[in-house]
């Protein structure tokens, strides 16, 4: 996977004013982002800051999600037909959609079916000329099983593209609203391949989205300019700047000084200060997410279900919610968020019971405890706004039952890479819904097939659980699907591959004169944002 450190800096032909100088201009909006992007191609990335900087700014997908109910609605596809057997999807594509341009490429045609086929086959076909460009591994495409599910994608004509599946899949349509499903320009890819610079497709991106990339300075800033031909209406703010600001306190200070007008993920301890400032506004969105601690079930002693159950009993989850989330989250008990179809409201949860934990450890032959590592994320997320503090509280709770946990952390890219390889013994992680479907949690995070792709941080493969979730994917009846997921959650409870910790709300803050910006299942939408 490419990292922010290895991306090519895209230089402007002339210098633009500094970020702070832009703050007062009505045609410029500054967003304080959390991190540098891994890439400007969301197909080969997996982090939230990358998606905000690429797919949610530069690209579109075949469908998007309606905010009111998170159901797929038209975007680059205007309609679709599904065959009676559920194995063929035919999309009608939107006409007149323009790609952006840059100094090396000017498109000669509108978006069409060739672009969809290219965007799919680059990820699916190991022999595709772009498959290995930028050392790409297409984690999301593989995580949701599309490499095996899609048997063919073909252009019927410029305005129609058809997918053939190996089996019915109830989540397939929603998958095409996810960030990795962004549509790239096949014409641009051909031009860069002929020029001998195919990696520019990923570092100097061309999309159909509301903005075009103008400049990138690693770990500093990203400049965008509005797409003058955006198919979904005029973009009201001409210049968009990402001021890359990893520190949450620094982001808050920049917001207060009007050096940026939007910040993601303010810390809960900052909420009152934001509310008390007439020039600022705090916004909240009910999130489809879960924060958890994953046990690496392939490593001792976490291969023993008694140990996993014991350490579930050993953690005071409510205390973590009270101390860390401060009203921004609730205790989780399932891999599926409570507002999502298939959540088992009757699912049991393990109460905080250190004595029960000690008894189970004794039964497992570990009465004297053991030493382990506990990985802590270096970033803030709605499902875990302060990973270090959560890790410290878990460490203290485990110490009470004789388990000595050493907290370790790494740079975000290294953290993700090490966890996908199974280098951890236990690790804090989480997930935010990409497509509003329970399969995006139940199978993506805990399915047997997700071990190799790396999204199953517990590296847990339970045949009963897997059979239930795979059957649910083949079922179109929502009531039947929900029942299957409920049964799978019972297996999850008994086998305890995680400690499910929290379901968090998504918070962001803006200057009071910002309107039109929104956050939803589609991610961050800057296309209507403006300063008044």
């Amino acid at each position: 996977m490419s990292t922010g450190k290895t991306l090519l800096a895209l230089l402007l032909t002339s210098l633009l004013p500094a970020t702070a100088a832009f703050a007062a201009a009505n045609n410029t909006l500054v967003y304080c982002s959390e991190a540098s992007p891994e890439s400007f191609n969301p197909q080969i990335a997996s982090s939230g800051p990358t998606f905000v900087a690429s797919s949610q700014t530069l690209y579109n997908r075949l469908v998007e999600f309606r905010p009111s109910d998170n159901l797929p609605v038209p975007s680059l596809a205007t309609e679709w037909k599904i065959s009676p057997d559920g194995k063929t999807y035919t999309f009608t594509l939107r006409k007149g959609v323009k790609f952006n341009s840059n100094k090396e490429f000017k498109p000669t045609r509108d978006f069409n079916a060739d672009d969809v086929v290219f965007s799919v086959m680059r990820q699916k076909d190991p022999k595709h000329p772009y498959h290995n460009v930028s050392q790409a591994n297409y984690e999301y495409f593989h995580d949701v099983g599309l490499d095996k599910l899609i048997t063919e994608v073909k252009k019927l004509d410029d305005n129609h593209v058809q997918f053939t599946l190996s089996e019915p899949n109830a989540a397939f349509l929603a998958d095409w609203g996810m960030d990795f499903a962004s549509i790239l320009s096949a014409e641009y890819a051909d031009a860069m391949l002929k020029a001998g610079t195919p990696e520019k497709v990923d570092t100097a991106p061309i999309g159909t989205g509301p903005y075009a990339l103008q400049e990138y300075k690693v770990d500093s800033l990203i400049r965008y300019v509005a797409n003058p031909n955006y198919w979904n209406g005029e973009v009201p703010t001409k210049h968009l700047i990402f001021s890359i600001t990893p520190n949450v306190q620094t982001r808050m200070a920049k917001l207060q000084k009007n050096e940026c007008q939007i910040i993601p993920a303010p810390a809960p301890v900052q909420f009152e200060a934001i509310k008390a400032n007439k020039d600022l506004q705090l916004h909240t969105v009910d999130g489809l997410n879960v924060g958890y601690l994953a046990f690496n079930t392939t490593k001792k002693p976490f291969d023993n279900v008694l140990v996993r159950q014991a350490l579930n009993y050993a953690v005071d989850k409510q205390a973590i919610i009270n101390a860390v989330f401060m009203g921004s989250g609730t205790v989780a008990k399932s891999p599926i968020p409570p507002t999502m179809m298939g959540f088992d409201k009757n699912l049991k949860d393990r109460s905080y019971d250190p004595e029960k934990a000690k008894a189970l450890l004794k039964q497992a032959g570990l009465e004297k405890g053991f030493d382990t590592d506990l990985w802590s994320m270096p970033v803030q997320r709605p499902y875990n706004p302060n990973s270090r503090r959560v890790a410290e509280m878990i460490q203290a709770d485990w110490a009470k039952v004789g388990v000595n946990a050493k907290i370790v952390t790494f740079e975000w890219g290294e953290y993700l890479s090490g966890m996908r390889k199974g280098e951890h013994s236990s690790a804090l992680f989480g997930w935010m819904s990409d497509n509003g479907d329970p399969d995006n949690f139940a199978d993506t995070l805990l399915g047997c097939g997700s071990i190799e792709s790396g999204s199953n941080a517990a590296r847990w493969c339970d045949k009963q659980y897997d059979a239930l979730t795979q059957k649910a994917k083949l079922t179109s009846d929502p009531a039947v699907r929900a029942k299957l997921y409920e049964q799978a959650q019972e297996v999850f409870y008994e086998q305890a591959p995680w400690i499910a910790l929290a379901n968090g709300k998504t918070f962001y803050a803006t200057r009071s004169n910002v309107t039109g910006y929104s956050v939803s299942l589609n991610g961050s939408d800057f296309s209507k944002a403006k300063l008044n």
Side-chain angles (χ1 to χ4, degrees), residues 6 18 26 92 102 111 113 129 143 163 272 284 301 305 312 332 344-345 356 358 361 382 390 411 427 476-477 531:
T6 61
N26 285 336
T92 299
N102 60 27
F111 155 75
D143 285 350
F163 291 82
E272 289 307 315
T284 181
V305 66
N312 265 269
D344 183 359
K345 64 181 184 299
K356 179 69 172 176
K358 290 177 183 177
L361 287 173
V390 171
E411 180 271 330
S476 58
D477 187 320
L531 294 174

Side-chain angles (χ1 to χ4, degrees), residues 16 57 172 184 213 250 261 300 323 344 392 437 466 496 499:
L16 294 175
T57 311
F172 180 75
L184 281 62
L213 181 66
T250 307
Q261 290 79 52
K300 293 185 179 299
D344 183 359
E392 289 171 347
D437 192 275
D466 208 57
I499 302 175

